[in-house]
Amino acid sequence: MFKRIILITVDCLRADHVGCISGKNLTPNIDKLAKDAVIFTRAFANGPGTNQSFPAILTSTYFLMHGGLRLKPNYITLAEVLSKHGYKTVAFHSNPFLSAKLGWNKGFHEFYDFMDAIKSPSAFITKRQSKGLKGKLLSIASTMLRGGRSAKIQRLLKKIFYRFSGLEIPYLEGKKLNENVINWVEKNKNEKFFLWMHYMDPHDPYIPPEEYLTNFSTRYEALKFNLTIDTNNLKEEELKILKKLYQSEVKYTDKCISEFIHYLEDKKLLDESLIIITADHGHAFMEHGRFAHAYDILYNEVIHIPLIIFGLDKTQKINIKVQLLDIPPTILNILKIKKPPTFMGSSLLPILNGTKIEKTIFSESAEPDLINLKYNVNKKAVSCIHGPYKIIINELRNTVELYNIDKDFEEKENTINYEKDVTTQLKKMIQRHLLREKTFKAKTRLPL
């Protein structure tokens, strides 16, 4: 039985930037750990952003079942189940969309989201930060940044926000996250615990520490570059610089994860520890004409994510398509704990034991109304991966695309016009899936 369950998630980490999956040399420390782990090379997020993917990671449910930024209280969290079975549960992150205010602390004995320690262009300006003219400017910029403003106004508001916030980094960077986590583990190392920690560093703005910078002398210069470019009209040279900055953030995060793993090793805590490393989503660099991870980008550059499981005394590289939805049931299956009826995913253990399972993977999103912390679920973007095929139905752009991702993983050739039967089949699968969600949601009023 594992005494420690450690879930490490990284914001915006593309699978093709992790060396043990892509062959690149950006994550040597993760790769070293992965040599004694199970690597899933074809893992997918169930949504294109934090809001859409974390319901799968922590509750094994789909985004549209929640319909907004708030975690629906009737769905059981992994932390609740583990708490019931004697694990002390703790979380460390600094993503405003995962804050306690939105219900993500459900099931955690201790929950550190650092919302009072950081200032971010988001909905979560505290009362202390809102005092006086400076606070009002912060609050106005923060609120307007969440609306559908033009790119020019967005850049201006970002400048105002960061100018008056007095901070270069709108999140808790990796080394600080490690300090807090290690301090907690040191005090609780003799306990049976579930620890979730989330690194934000690969998220924009890209401002890695100076030793990781290539195009700039200081982090301030890098921040200024991030705030002045127009990501809707990127020049080729600007895109190259952004890619380098992102890669530097990935290298830095890899180093931070290494420092945490080394701490566990030094304290002889790796034994009896189950460690899962994954990401909530990736990031687009104009592969399909768009930058970042907007709510309706369901291409593989955004939903293909790393998934590594360490501690099972197995060394495997698995190419079967899997999903974030399956992480909570897998953890419980490993611990021989029955999964609750609200978990919609299934354990990956049969795959590890040689069973070939073809999963159907759905990724979801909808039109956001972040001012009111809601999504218009009547305007959806949904993808379905089944066998070699992937369909993307984007109601926000009125597009339907079909790809054979076994042959065309970069999704360059839309085969919608000459794969009629496959298109019809996958459309029906999405319809059945959405109907199942509604039925499941209506029935789910179950206590733990």
Side-chain angles (χ1 to χ4, degrees):
M1 182 63 69
F2 288 99
K3 189 174 181 180
R4 290 166 290 274
I5 312 298
I6 300 171
L7 175 61
I8 300 173
T9 55
V10 184
D11 218 290
C12 295
L13 180 58
R14 292 171 57 132
D16 64 3
H17 279 54
V18 177
C20 59
I21 295 172
S22 67
K24 294 178 181 177
N25 190 32
L26 296 171
T27 57
N29 298 295
I30 291 175
D31 302 341
K32 183 179 178 182
L33 184 75
K35 287 180 180 179
D36 297 314
V38 177
I39 306 163
F40 291 92
T41 65
R42 287 290 182 263
F44 294 90
N46 297 102
T50 297
N51 303 333
Q52 298 92 341
S53 66
F54 258 97
I57 297 173
L58 293 182
T59 71
S60 193
T61 58
Y62 293 97
F63 161 74
L64 290 175
M65 297 167 69
H66 299 263
L69 275 74
R70 299 186 187 281
L71 186 68
K72 289 284 186 182
N74 50 298
Y75 294 114
I76 297 167
T77 66
L78 175 63
E80 284 181 286
V81 180
L82 294 177
S83 174
K84 184 181 178 183
H85 285 83
Y87 285 86
K88 191 171 185 178
T89 56
V90 64
F92 293 87
H93 77 85
S94 60
N95 189 319
F97 293 111
L98 298 171
S99 75
K101 294 181 181 181
L102 296 178
W104 290 96
N105 60 332
K106 190 168 184 269
F108 286 99
H109 296 114
E110 298 179 54
F111 191 85
Y112 303 98
D113 59 16
F114 301 100
M115 290 300 103
D116 289 332
I118 62 168
K119 295 172 185 173
S120 173
S122 68
F124 309 105
I125 299 296
T126 66
K127 291 180 181 178
R128 178 178 56 81
Q129 292 166 338
S130 298
K131 291 179 180 178
L133 176 61
K134 177 179 172 180
K136 288 178 181 178
L137 286 169
L138 276 167
S139 186
I140 291 168
S142 170
T143 301
M144 293 182 73
L145 272 167
R146 291 174 282 132
R149 311 292 171 181
S150 71
K152 191 172 183 179
I153 293 175
Q154 285 271 344
R155 293 197 303 277
L156 176 62
L157 290 170
K158 282 183 179 179
K159 287 180 185 178
I160 291 172
F161 185 89
Y162 288 111
R163 168 67 180 85
F164 284 94
S165 70
L167 292 177
E168 290 185 355
I169 305 171
Y171 51 79
L172 199 72
E173 63 177 320
K175 285 187 179 293
K176 290 290 184 183
L177 182 73
N178 278 359
E179 288 175 11
N180 284 275
V181 171
I182 289 172
N183 182 57
W184 186 91
V185 173
E186 189 65 24
K187 295 175 182 176
N188 294 273
K189 58 189 175 186
N190 296 321
E191 302 272 353
K192 193 167 86 166
F193 64 76
F194 166 55
L195 162 67
W196 164 47
M197 57 191 298
H198 184 69
Y199 291 95
M200 282 293 295
D201 304 272
H203 197 290
D204 66 303
Y206 306 131
I207 42 177
E210 271 81 4
E211 61 266 35
Y212 292 88
L213 287 172
T214 54
N215 293 83
F216 305 95
S217 300
T218 67
R219 302 179 89 174
Y220 177 76
E221 289 178 8
L223 175 65
K224 191 175 179 181
F225 173 80
N226 275 266
L227 299 182
T228 54
I229 58 172
D230 180 1
T231 54
N232 291 316
N233 296 285
L234 280 173
K235 298 173 184 175
E236 187 175 342
E237 186 58 31
E238 291 173 337
L239 183 61
K240 286 181 181 177
I241 293 172
L242 284 172
K243 284 182 177 179
K244 286 184 179 179
L245 285 171
Y246 173 78
Q247 290 169 2
S248 295
E249 292 282 27
V250 171
K251 290 178 181 177
Y252 171 64
T253 305
D254 175 70
K255 180 64 174 175
C256 291
I257 291 174
S258 168
E259 289 174 356
F260 176 61
I261 297 298
H262 282 156
Y263 162 77
L264 296 176
E265 195 171 24
D266 289 344
K267 298 293 183 177
K268 301 190 184 330
L269 298 176
L270 272 185
D271 292 340
E272 297 182 288
S273 290
L274 179 69
I275 302 175
I276 298 98
I277 299 176
T278 190
D280 54 350
H281 55 81
H283 195 91
F285 286 95
M286 306 302 289
E287 289 87 351
H288 289 87
R290 299 175 72 189
F291 179 78
H293 51 280
Y295 53 88
D296 64 333
I297 303 179
L298 291 171
Y299 298 114
N300 288 340
E301 57 263 27
V302 170
I303 68 167
H304 181 214
I305 44 90
L307 177 56
I308 298 163
I309 302 178
F310 172 87
L312 294 176
D313 294 326
K314 288 178 180 284
T315 304
Q316 293 175 260
K317 185 172 276 193
I318 296 172
N319 300 320
I320 294 172
K321 301 178 188 75
V322 298
Q323 58 190 330
L324 291 176
L325 194 78
D326 299 325
I327 289 177
T330 301
I331 291 173
L332 296 186
N333 194 187
I334 290 169
L335 299 175
K336 295 181 171 53
I337 297 173
K338 184 180 178 181
K339 75 171 185 177
T342 56
F343 280 19
M344 297 191 75
S346 57
S347 173
L348 298 175
L349 275 192
I351 294 175
L352 298 184
N353 295 327
T355 304
K356 290 188 177 180
I357 298 175
E358 184 180 273
K359 288 183 174 287
T360 301
I361 297 168
F362 298 98
S363 300
E364 306 174 342
S365 190
E367 184 179 52
D369 176 10
L370 299 188
I371 296 292
N372 297 305
L373 304 181
K374 294 180 181 178
Y375 280 80
N376 180 4
V377 296
N378 295 315
K379 286 189 177 181
K380 299 180 289 292
V382 182
S383 68
C384 172
I385 298 172
H386 182 74
Y389 292 100
K390 174 182 174 184
I391 193 170
I392 304 173
I393 300 177
N394 190 335
E395 295 176 359
L396 295 100
R397 293 177 179 260
N398 296 314
T399 58
V400 181
E401 301 166 74
L402 181 72
Y403 300 96
N404 185 327
I405 61 172
D406 282 1
K407 296 179 180 179
D408 176 26
F409 195 75
E410 294 179 349
E411 299 159 307
K412 292 181 178 180
E413 184 182 3
N414 183 3
T415 64
I416 194 75
N417 292 324
Y418 51 91
E419 294 277 11
K420 302 293 186 183
D421 291 343
V422 175
T423 300
T424 300
Q425 179 192 9
L426 267 60
K427 280 184 174 180
K428 287 181 178 178
M429 293 180 81
I430 287 178
Q431 289 171 356
R432 288 196 297 268
H433 165 71
L434 295 175
L435 181 61
R436 179 180 173 234
E437 278 188 339
K438 286 183 179 179
T439 305
F440 190 88
K441 187 177 179 180
K443 290 180 179 178
T444 306
R445 297 291 184 271
L446 301 169
L448 180 62

